[in-house]
Amino acid sequence: MIQAADIREWRDHDVVDAKGRKIGVLEAIYVDTTTDEPAAATVRTGLPTRQRLVFVPLDEVILGPGYLKVSYAKGLVRKAPSIGTDDILPAEEEQGIFQYYGMPYQPGGKGERQLARR
């Protein structure tokens, strides 16, 4: 698992699927607000003139020299919920990321968001 102190070191590294196929480049890490542990990442994908940021969970992530290997297939991640490269994740769309990957979504006790960008 990515440690919070290491996050900045991994930005701009390749993100690959379990078969080693490049999905894109790591843009940002989102932490679970209840545990402050890395939970998801945004991956920059697309052509240089038409890039977007797709979300991928970081469960079972493997760190390698210059890459992060996620447990999700390239095709699945490429079709995941996304935002523009200059956009932020709207609170009302956060749950959709969890649903897309078949993961439970639990907002914080006071209704706060589950994901926060670091």
Side-chain angles (χ1 to χ4, degrees):
M1 180 56 66
I2 299 173
Q3 299 302 312
D6 299 333
I7 291 172
R8 285 190 178 92
E9 294 176 26
W10 290 99
R11 281 199 68 209
D12 296 323
H13 281 72
D14 289 343
V15 177
V16 300
D17 70 5
K19 294 183 179 179
R21 296 177 295 186
K22 183 177 176 182
I23 298 169
V25 177
L26 180 68
E27 175 70 23
I29 301 288
Y30 285 75
V31 297
D32 184 325
T33 58
T34 57
T35 64
D36 208 33
E37 293 292 323
T42 50
V43 180
R44 196 170 49 242
T45 64
L47 300 172
T49 57
R50 296 190 60 191
Q51 292 188 334
R52 63 193 179 99
L53 302 175
V54 295
F55 288 85
V56 63
L58 293 176
D59 55 334
E60 301 180 32
V61 68
I62 297 171
L63 301 175
Y67 69 87
L68 284 86
K69 184 181 287 188
V70 296
S71 59
Y72 299 91
K74 178 179 179 176
L76 180 70
V77 177
R78 289 271 179 130
K79 294 176 185 173
S82 66
I83 57 175
T85 56
D86 294 326
D87 295 339
I88 60 169
L89 175 63
E92 60 273 6
E93 293 181 19
E94 186 174 276
Q95 185 173 0
I97 296 166
F98 288 82
Q99 288 176 336
Y100 178 80
Y101 286 103
M103 301 170 68
Y105 177 74
Q106 182 81 21
K110 297 179 183 173
E112 68 268 5
R113 299 177 73 154
Q114 185 170 346
L115 296 176
R117 185 177 170 160
R118 294 283 191 248

